[in-house]
Amino acid sequence: MAQWTSAVGAAQLARLLTSQQERPAGPGTRRPPAYRALADGIRLLVLEGRVAVAARLPAERELALSLSVSRTTVAAAYEALRAEGFLESRRGAGSWTAVPAGNPLPARGLEPLPPEALGSMIDLGCAALPAPEPWLTRAVQGALEELPPYAHTHGDYPAGLPALREMLAERYTARGIPTMPEQIMVTTGAMGAIDAICHLFAGRGERIAVESPSYANILQLMREAGARLVPVAMADGLAGWDMDRWRQVLRDAAPRLAYVVADFHNPTGALADEDQRRRLVDAARSAGTVLVVDETMSELHLDDGLELPRPVCGFDPAGSTVITVGSASKAFWAGMRIGWVRAAPDIIRSLVSARAYADLGTPVVEQLAVNWLLSTGGWEQAVDVRRSQARENRDALVTAVRRELPGWEFDVPRGGLTLWVRTGGLSGSRVAEAGERVGVRVPSGPRFGVDGAFEGYVRLPFTVGGAVADEAAARLAAAARLVETGVSGGAEAPRTFVA
């Protein structure tokens, strides 16, 4: 019986492998034999999760034709992968990907680094900061004081606690967007919100338009829901959306949903202006596309004097086109898994009804904690501290990367938590792999794209500052040197770093 559970075609695998091509070799650069380069490329795709474990690979002859190499080269690459534990084969069943015994299964999104690895590894994979204290402790204490009346109920509130829904509605109203509690549903983080929206609006096989690049975990969520992702390229630098491309995609592809991050886009940091917001809402309305707007970064504006545009839902007064998603995870703390949806009341009712077959509701204590923060002014104080910390980290990381990696290019965003960095012609996937060996964990650009895009990028979050930012940049420079010299292994183990 075959052990593979999915398959990757020759043309698709060739595209993914071609996207890994690096800049031309310089003097002294060692280039591996063709079969070794092919084996390394497939292994890297498996380790990054871009080719699934237990995926059947194309036959040797098919892949050789797609790559314009000899069948002998492909056969030798497959044999090398089998010897290393990354490929298994059986006569009559073909060959499928695997991971060697003892290796962790690769994640296809951006999973947090295990706490036990933090002593030797600088984690630039997760764009999240430590909890702001003393506000987290005070919020939990306040929640426990408010808990007794709720403890006498069943504890399931599919739409969210009424007090928190009312508080969130008031905050939208204060921003100039009149909102009723009936337009709010509290969710388990922004991921829970978008998962519910996708299941309601976009069944398997439906098209969803996404920014290119976009947030890796959301892209993977949509893939696993069976969506057909339609990428729409961002404008250059921090210019926001390319509206000509958006109009064309919405008109020609007619996607059921579109997912966008208008405020300090993840990963680029771009901030869409008011004209772009108005035009995108108009284009989505004309195409019959529901626009899902992720506002999780909206409160993380870092530069003084920055005038923020109106929320995207402010250009949809009828509420027929825009669904807004918010969260406490980025602005406050990722461990506070509270998100919310703002939409028309009929959409909220449909989402709440569907929730009976999902998670029934969001934890009560965490909702009470967020409500305590919002109702006491603690939220504003905590977010001010968060902005200050992110600003200091951003400036330290920018300085360190420019010093250690002068050939890498990026625009400095005015908010959010991420730098989107061109790696000077190097493969971002190979930089990420080398980084793991020298003690810095960084996600490569293709995780934020569709079908191998953005190989020449990495994402660097503002999660470290001071001496740690300096050390992180130094380790990235060491990883880049490994890639430039063609070293494929044998790097020294990372030293423990304590800041």
Side-chain angles (χ1 to χ4, degrees):
M1 179 179 176
Q3 301 297 307
W4 51 272
T5 57
S6 62
V8 57
Q12 180 188 8
L13 184 56
R15 284 197 304 273
L16 292 170
L17 289 165
T18 301
S19 74
Q20 296 177 340
Q21 289 179 349
E22 302 169 31
R23 65 187 178 190
T29 299
R30 293 182 294 169
R31 287 298 186 215
Y35 85 89
R36 183 69 259 175
L38 176 55
D40 286 346
I42 294 173
R43 176 177 55 82
L44 191 58
L45 292 172
V46 173
L47 289 173
E48 282 216 320
R50 292 162 59 204
V51 168
V53 175
R56 186 179 187 272
L57 295 186
E60 295 169 2
R61 188 184 303 276
E62 293 178 67
L63 186 57
L65 287 172
S66 291
L67 292 173
S68 298
V69 299
S70 71
R71 182 177 177 182
T72 302
T73 297
V74 177
Y78 278 15
E79 182 57 37
L81 289 169
R82 276 190 287 269
E84 295 163 5
F86 285 94
L87 196 69
E88 296 181 8
S89 303
R90 181 172 300 164
R91 186 177 298 277
S95 299
W96 57 91
T97 56
V99 292
N103 278 36
L105 286 174
R108 304 192 73 180
L110 302 179
E111 78 289 355
L113 189 69
E116 60 269 18
L118 293 176
S120 60
M121 185 74 69
I122 297 176
D123 186 11
L124 297 181
C126 190
L129 293 164
E133 288 289 19
W135 291 277
L136 174 62
T137 298
R138 291 176 182 172
V140 173
Q141 290 170 343
L144 293 176
E145 292 174 1
E146 299 293 329
L147 182 60
Y150 296 93
H152 294 292
T153 73
H154 50 62
D156 287 334
Y157 295 87
L161 295 184
L164 181 54
R165 297 175 72 196
E166 184 174 351
M167 181 59 64
L168 292 168
E170 289 177 2
R171 288 177 63 83
Y172 278 105
T173 300
R175 294 168 66 190
I177 314 297
T179 303
M180 304 177 294
E182 291 79 10
Q183 292 177 262
I184 301 291
M185 182 178 84
V186 181
T187 62
T188 306
M191 291 286 288
I194 293 170
D195 182 56
I197 293 166
C198 289
H199 278 88
L200 180 64
F201 284 95
R204 185 166 293 275
E206 291 276 6
R207 295 185 181 92
I208 302 179
V210 295
E211 296 151 326
S212 184
S214 187
Y215 178 37
N217 286 341
I218 294 297
L219 294 180
Q220 190 57 30
L221 181 155
M222 292 174 175
R223 290 187 190 102
E224 293 183 358
R228 298 163 61 190
L229 300 183
V230 183
V232 186
M234 298 286 289
D236 291 337
L238 299 178
W241 299 321
D242 184 325
M243 287 311 305
D244 290 337
R245 288 171 174 159
W246 269 106
R247 277 196 303 271
Q248 180 179 354
V249 167
L250 294 178
R251 181 184 66 243
D252 295 348
R256 185 71 183 92
L257 288 179
Y259 169 76
V260 296
V261 185
D263 300 287
F264 311 119
H265 174 259
N266 186 357
T268 68
L271 177 66
D273 62 33
E274 287 212 2
D275 183 61
Q276 290 171 332
R277 295 171 189 232
R278 180 185 299 105
R279 291 166 64 192
L280 184 57
V281 172
D282 290 344
R285 185 182 296 116
S286 297
T289 298
V290 175
L291 194 59
V292 181
V293 180
D294 186 334
E295 284 193 336
T296 54
M297 296 283 192
S298 64
E299 297 196 60
L300 292 175
H301 44 91
L302 305 183
D303 291 347
D304 293 335
L306 178 60
E307 185 175 346
L308 295 176
R310 279 187 291 167
V312 178
C313 57
F315 300 97
D316 180 38
S320 59
T321 300
V322 176
I323 298 176
T324 302
V325 172
S327 171
S329 296
K330 298 299 185 185
F332 186 74
W333 183 46
M336 188 69 77
R337 304 304 304 161
I338 299 295
W340 52 86
V341 178
R342 181 201 180 273
D346 61 322
I347 293 175
I348 294 297
R349 287 193 293 270
S350 296
L351 289 170
V352 171
S353 296
R355 197 169 193 179
Y357 308 102
D359 61 1
L360 290 177
T362 302
V364 170
V365 174
E366 284 87 340
Q367 291 188 72
L368 289 172
V370 171
N371 189 62
W372 183 93
L373 287 165
L374 295 174
S375 61
T376 62
W379 179 270
E380 284 73 18
Q381 296 175 54
V383 172
D384 280 344
V385 170
R386 176 66 85 229
R387 291 191 193 109
S388 177
Q389 185 179 12
R391 185 185 306 113
E392 292 176 5
N393 287 356
R394 178 196 63 181
D395 296 346
L397 189 64
V398 165
T399 299
V401 173
R402 283 177 171 165
R403 180 182 64 248
E404 299 287 344
L405 292 151
W408 287 20
E409 303 173 54
F410 53 86
D411 296 302
V412 181
R414 305 191 69 184
L417 287 172
T418 57
L419 283 179
W420 184 236
V421 182
R422 297 180 189 88
T423 51
L426 299 178
S427 159
S429 296
R430 296 184 186 277
V431 169
E433 182 191 30
E436 294 274 356
R437 299 201 303 274
V438 299
V440 60
R441 179 174 179 265
V442 56
S444 66
R447 289 179 176 253
F448 303 88
V450 176
D451 202 15
F454 306 110
E455 185 60 61
Y457 290 80
V458 294
R459 189 194 73 172
L460 305 180
F462 318 144
T463 53
V464 297
V468 186
D470 291 338
E471 179 69 12
R475 294 186 186 187
L476 281 172
R481 287 192 294 272
L482 290 178
V483 177
E484 287 175 331
T485 56
V487 175
S488 61
E492 293 183 3
R495 64 185 182 274
T496 300
F497 180 75
V498 180

